[in-house]
Every structure is written in C-alpha cells, then in structure tokens.
Amino acid sequence: MASIGEAHGFFTRISARHMALFVDEGDTLVLSFDRADRTWHQGDSGLPLGFDCLRALEYSLLSILSVGRTWFRDAFVEEMLQNLAQEGFFSSYKEVLILASGPDCGHAAARAARFVPGAKVLLSRPAAAISARHAPFETRFTADRRTDPDTPLPLGPEALRHAASTMILFDPIHTLEAAQAALFTAPNTTRIALPHSGAALDRTFTKGEVIVPLSRHLQSGTLTPQKAREILRPSLRRDPGYLARLSTNAAYSARAATVARNSRP
C-alpha cells in the first residue's frame, strides 16, 4: 500500500493505530473505512475495501484503516477528515461514495458523512451506536464503551441526514443487528434485509465481484433492494457459514412443521 500511495497519491500513518491510503484516479471518490488486519490476513494480495472499484471503475480511493477494532475513535482521524472537508478535497469530486463493512467500520463511516454532504452511502452491518445511553440493548461491545466511541456527536444516523442516499445491509434474524439497523432513520435511508447472512455478509461485501457492481449502481442511483440482493446472493450461496445457517433454519422449520402436523386433533 505504501508503494501504491507513493506512486499514485499518498499513504500515511495518521496515528499509532490508524493509516490512510489515497489513490487519485477518477472524478468519483470512494471513501472507505476498513480494518488493516482484514487486508493483512490476505497476504500480499490484501488491499482495502474499495480498491477493486479503482481498478474496475477508475474511481479514486481514500481508505481509512484501523489496526484492530478501534471504532476509529481518534482525534487525528477526525482532524484529517475535517481538514480535507475544509480544504475542499471532497467537494472537488463529482461524486463521493462512502463504503464500510462491519459494526465498527460502519459506525465510523456513518459519522464521517457529516464531512461529505451529498455523499452516497452503502454500509454492511453497521452499528449506529454502542453506548448504554444510545444503544442500551447492545451487549456485544460493552468493553468498548470505555473509549466512548459515540462522542463527539453527531451519531451516524444524525450525520447521515447530510447524505444524498444511504443503504444499510443487515441480517434481520440477528436481533442486535436488526436493532442497530432500525436506528438508521435519516431521510433517504433504505434498509435491505438479508436473512441468515450474518458475518458472511461482510465477507461477501468486500469481494470485487460484489463491491464493484454494488458501487456502480450506488453511484448511478440504480441500487434498489432487489438489485442488491441479486448481486449479493450468488456470492452468499458460496459461503459455508451462510449455507450452514440456511441448513439449520431449514431443519428447524421442518421439525416445527412436523410437530404442527402431529399436534392437530
């Protein structure tokens, strides 16, 4: 990433646990939030979310990466985004797409929308909030509440009021995930339910065969729930975790149907 940034834009350490890669290519910019450890697990081929759009669609890319689950709670990250906004960096592009996958990256990406008015946003399984005050139902990230990633305000759902459109992908079968999705109530927000997808949705979302057509339709304004499902389902159906959940659900439904039949007078 350092060599790519040096040749086509920049790659910089923002702070001890955050870095940024910028590649200047076209007049549409992808602003993505991703985990550096996710890319490292892929070895030399590992590149941040949105890089496939750069190669296939000739979009520019600004990727903010965290080392571990930091929730991007860092004054230097906030300062960088604010400075870029004030300098007219985001407004210099014809369009800006904001992409993120997972609770922490989605949380940060939604909050960042306040720096990019008019952006088109696509988030997979984001957390709107994790504090006891704003999300008392959330039990997955209680240890992370010590860093208070929900401050400073605004929270993501409020920041997204500045977005042109927002798409939220989530699994409605997962109670906490569905509750988080329900908090995203800004105008022009569309929630797209993908039952039993779970963590497989994040794995699928980051693949080039998925993120490229999703981004293309997001940019053109043609990304509907039906179109998103058409793009995601073929890849989901090749994910072992997703198939396992479908099989478990099918077996449970079959048992329930048998019990119901046998319970009839």
Side-chain angles (χ1 to χ4, degrees):
M1 284 192 286
S3 61
I4 291 170
E6 183 179 355
H8 303 285
F10 64 77
F11 178 76
T12 185
R13 280 272 184 181
I14 305 172
S15 62
R17 297 183 67 186
H18 299 94
M19 59 196 77
L21 171 67
F22 171 62
V23 181
D24 192 15
E25 183 70 25
D27 59 6
T28 293
L29 173 71
V30 170
L31 171 60
S32 72
F33 289 77
D34 201 359
R35 294 269 290 271
D37 38 310
R38 183 191 70 80
T39 68
W40 291 339
H41 291 159
Q42 298 174 32
D44 292 341
S45 63
L47 289 166
L49 177 67
F51 201 90
D52 289 293
C53 298
L54 186 154
R55 291 190 287 203
L57 304 174
E58 297 186 345
Y59 290 171
S60 295
L61 172 68
L62 174 59
S63 178
I64 312 297
L65 298 132
S66 70
V67 180
R69 194 173 68 203
T70 68
W71 300 90
F72 298 82
R73 179 70 169 87
D74 190 314
F76 291 104
V77 173
E78 292 275 327
E79 182 181 3
M80 177 183 180
L81 292 171
Q82 186 173 43
N83 287 342
L84 289 173
Q86 291 174 346
E87 293 166 3
F89 173 78
F90 297 119
S91 60
S92 69
Y93 286 91
K94 184 178 179 180
E95 289 196 87
V96 179
L97 312 181
I98 300 179
L99 307 178
S101 181
D104 52 331
C105 295
H107 181 277
R111 284 165 48 85
R114 71 189 188 275
F115 297 115
V116 196
K120 296 176 179 178
V121 184
L122 177 59
L123 307 177
S124 170
R125 302 174 67 235
I130 69 165
S131 65
R133 176 186 176 188
H134 298 292
F137 59 83
E138 183 59 81
T139 57
R140 294 173 294 176
F141 312 113
T142 52
D144 294 341
R145 287 174 172 170
R146 290 192 297 269
T147 61
D148 196 14
D150 291 347
T151 59
L153 296 176
L155 291 172
E158 181 65 26
L160 287 166
R161 292 183 179 276
H162 301 285
S165 65
T166 302
M167 299 281 187
I168 305 293
L169 308 174
F170 73 103
D171 183 350
I173 305 301
H174 193 299
T175 304
L176 296 179
E177 195 171 306
Q180 288 284 1
L183 294 178
F184 288 93
T185 57
N188 300 318
T189 296
T190 302
R191 290 182 289 273
I192 303 175
L194 293 146
H196 305 291
S197 55
L201 182 54
D202 287 346
R203 293 190 293 270
T204 296
F205 184 80
T206 57
K207 294 179 179 178
E209 67 197 61
V210 170
I211 195 61
V212 168
L214 285 176
S215 298
R216 184 176 64 247
H217 284 286
L218 180 68
Q219 188 270 337
S220 66
T222 56
L223 185 60
T224 63
Q226 179 181 356
K227 178 58 68 175
R229 294 185 181 104
E230 287 176 1
I231 294 169
L232 284 156
R233 278 174 175 159
S235 187
L236 278 173
R237 287 168 179 163
R238 294 192 294 271
D239 187 279
Y242 176 68
L243 294 176
R245 279 187 291 275
L246 285 183
S247 298
T248 300
N249 180 69
Y252 176 82
S253 299
R255 289 195 299 272
T258 299
V259 171
R261 285 195 302 270
N262 292 339
S263 299
R264 293 173 184 167

